[in-house]
Amino acid sequence: MIDQETRQRIIALVKREVVPAIGCTEPMCVALCTARATELLGCQPEHITALLSANILKNAMGVGIPGTGMVGLPIAIALGAIIGKSEYQLEVLKDLTPEALEQGKRYISEERIDIQLKQGITEKLYVEIIAETNGKRETAIIAGSHTHFEPPPNPIPEHGSPTRSLSRAGGEPSQTSPEQNYTSAPPAREGLGVGLSLRLVYDFATTAPLDEIRFIEETRTYNMNAAREALKGNYGHNLGKTIDRPLSKGIFGNSIFCHIIARTASACDARMGGAMIPVMSNSGSGNQGICATNPVCVYAKENENTEEELIRALMLSHLTAIYIKESLGTLSALCGCVVASIGSSVGITYLMGGDYGRICASVKNMVANLTGMICDGAKPSCSLKITSGVSTAVLSALLSMEGKCVSSQEGIVDDSVDKSIHNLTAIGANGMGPTDEMVLKIMTSKGC
């Protein structure tokens, strides 16, 4: 049994990283920062300048904003200023009304918002909002994690300072002189003194007193509800609904596998398509939260696992994803579904009756397959990538239960499961940096 102090630290870590969010976390992060800058200003800004890291831009350009029927950052920023409350964190826009939406549209049409690429920073998650009214200005900064506010740098750049600017309609950034260098403090998730390993993750999830970890069951309530919400409308590419239709069942069958990918894709469809519904995120990503939750819940229900087994499997899935993200970073060139699908594969393996050895095998099978899947921003087609990840998760779990495991003679897999994980995250965090730059260049150059 893990000692109580260690258990409490792990629980605090999970509660910090698994939180509700409405909509994609990147535009919600920008809206949250706008809300804080507006609160500091004390009135609605006449003009807002958003200085953003490339990864924030990439993940916020093509995603639906809940309840608006609109896509992208301008409406998120406008609503952050009009109705946003920073106390709501990633549910910052939950007070949206039709009247506020119309006001937000007018705010955009009046060209009050300037969105720019922040230069001279190394932090991949960086949002700086400058709110101005009648010569008064206030700045709010989020860096390191989606809700971590930091002090503004000095001096605050004047409006109109030379930057590398992105037009509201997109397009190729034009290089001018850079902003002052500013590197954020370490991300907030690096605290709590928990030195995670897969063994510790497994031991905690499988031995902690049930009442201490029962809270993780709330992820099922949120994320399976998002899957049901998708059935009420036509969100995104309707991938989940497509998989449920008769033609697809003639191909996939009416199977547990079919139900797993349908329920997971549906929740992503609703979230990326702008449904006004919260999901439980993991490590700053709603899609990662969905991917770590829904496959485990569907399998547990159809395999008739006990409530305790489901709770422990959910904790195993979410904590595995948190462990992997610690060395990968909040935003990276590696698609987050790779991380969360490894978590769900671990959870499903446990529900199949797998021990620690089988779980290690499922992780290695995942690392051997999905490494290198790029993140090209948050958007409706994320449901396609989630489906690929979850399909691989089920396959990897099945292989591990058959005693099959990719060996250290193959690719980046190592004899040590933790080393295999760190090989994966080293590629995502360090090796794929040029990929990130190329992806953003392609995304901002389309139509030019």
Side-chain angles (χ1 to χ4, degrees), residues 190-350:
E190 292 180 1
L192 297 181
V194 181
L196 291 178
S197 66
L198 192 65
R199 181 82 232 192
L200 180 57
V201 168
Y202 175 81
D203 288 346
F204 171 80
T206 57
T207 66
L210 196 62
D211 286 343
E212 289 186 5
I213 63 173
R214 190 180 296 276
F215 69 89
I216 199 67
E217 199 171 17
E218 195 174 11
T219 62
R220 174 179 64 175
T221 303
Y222 275 81
N223 296 346
M224 292 300 291
N225 190 42
R228 288 186 287 272
E229 179 68 21
L231 302 179
K232 301 176 184 178
N234 292 312
Y235 294 106
H237 297 293
N238 282 324
L239 180 58
K241 291 173 77 171
T242 299
I243 294 169
D244 260 343
R245 287 172 179 154
L247 176 61
S248 299
K249 288 185 177 179
I251 297 170
F252 293 113
N254 192 18
S255 62
I256 297 177
F257 174 74
C258 175
H259 299 161
I260 285 173
I261 59 176
R263 301 301 172 268
T264 310
S266 289
C268 182
D269 285 335
R271 177 175 177 266
M272 293 287 96
M276 193 64 177
I277 186 168
V279 301
M280 197 68 83
S281 64
N282 181 299
S283 303
S285 167
N287 282 347
Q288 285 172 197
I290 290 167
C291 200
T293 302
N294 291 23
V296 176
C297 292
V298 174
Y299 186 87
K301 180 180 179 179
E302 303 211 14
N303 194 49
E304 298 183 351
N305 288 98
T306 66
E307 181 188 26
E308 177 175 350
E309 288 169 337
L310 170 61
I311 290 170
R312 296 195 183 281
L314 283 171
M315 181 57 73
L316 195 51
S317 178
H318 279 276
L319 190 53
T320 297
I322 291 168
Y323 166 45
I324 297 172
K325 286 293 284 188
E326 280 187 332
S327 56
L328 180 62
T330 306
L331 298 177
S332 76
L334 185 70
C335 178
C337 84
V338 176
V339 173
S341 295
I342 293 175
S344 62
S345 186
V346 165
I348 290 170
T349 303
Y350 172 78

Side-chain angles (χ1 to χ4, degrees), residues 105-135:
K105 290 177 180 178
R106 287 196 300 273
Y107 202 92
I108 295 170
S109 68
E110 292 166 357
E111 299 188 350
R112 296 173 178 266
I113 299 169
D114 189 16
I115 301 171
Q116 302 173 0
L117 181 64
K118 178 74 175 182
Q119 291 289 293
I121 57 169
T122 58
E123 177 58 64
K124 291 187 176 182
L125 195 164
Y126 183 92
V127 178
E128 181 176 340
I129 299 294
I130 304 168
E132 301 173 86
T133 296
N134 295 327

Side-chain angles (χ1 to χ4, degrees), residues 75-94:
I75 190 63
I77 292 171
L79 293 175
I82 294 165
I83 53 121
K85 291 184 175 66
S86 63
E87 65 191 80
Y88 292 166
Q89 300 283 283
L90 293 178
E91 295 181 281
V92 60
L93 301 185
K94 69 179 183 180

Side-chain angles (χ1 to χ4, degrees), residues 10 36 133 204 260 354 416 423 444:
I10 294 173
R36 173 65 67 85
T133 296
F204 171 80
I260 285 173
S416 162
N423 289 343
T444 57

